[in-house]
Amino acid sequence: MGAGREFSAAVGFVALAAAIAVGSYFTGVRMSGGGDGAAMQPPTAGAPVNGQAVYAGNCAGCHGAQAEGGVGPGLAEVKTWSEGAFREAVLNGKHPSGRTLGTVMPRFAQTGLDGAPATPEQMTALLAYLQGL
Ligand code: HEC
């Protein structure tokens, strides 16, 4: 008799655990499906990129807050560059003239931006930001 009661207690426990598991599964689905949760997502490739933030975090220290120049030259001339030329300069240190930029200018293909590999979206946003200054 005693064994039978323990058995049904065990079954009851398993059923309760399953109910909790299913309940939290659906709670999780509801929470991750929420529309305003998107603002909390970390930046991912393809997400909109804030060119000003990329510039401030990676370039302003040398080129000045408004790209007016500092350790590195002012970047006004860059406004006329094609995106391909801009990428070559920033990622690989190749000036459009063919000149190799001094090594003080980081090779962002190697260092990355904000500690992660530079994305095409970041490069597009950076150039657009500089062109808007
Ligand atoms: C550690 C300082 C430093 C940082 C950080 C830096 N640069 Fe530079 N940059 C330089 C220096 C110095 C030069 C000049 C190199 C030369 O002419 O040989 C340069 C040159 C350039 C040039 C070529 C400009 C021209 O007219 O010849 C571009 C474009 C450029 N940087 C863009 C950027 C961008 C965009 C960032 C941020 C993603 C950045 N740099 C971050 C120091 C830096």
Side-chain angles (χ1 to χ4, degrees), residues 54-55 58-63 71-75 77-78 81 86 89-90 95-96 99-106 108 113 123 126 130:
V54 176
Y55 181 82
N58 299 275
C59 321
C62 289
H63 289 283
V71 174
L75 297 177
E77 188 202 315
V78 171
W81 294 5
F86 178 71
V90 176
H95 188 273
R99 182 171 70 86
T100 299
L101 295 175
T103 52
V104 176
M105 168 65 189
F108 284 95
L113 293 168
M123 298 307 294
L126 254 181
L130 290 173

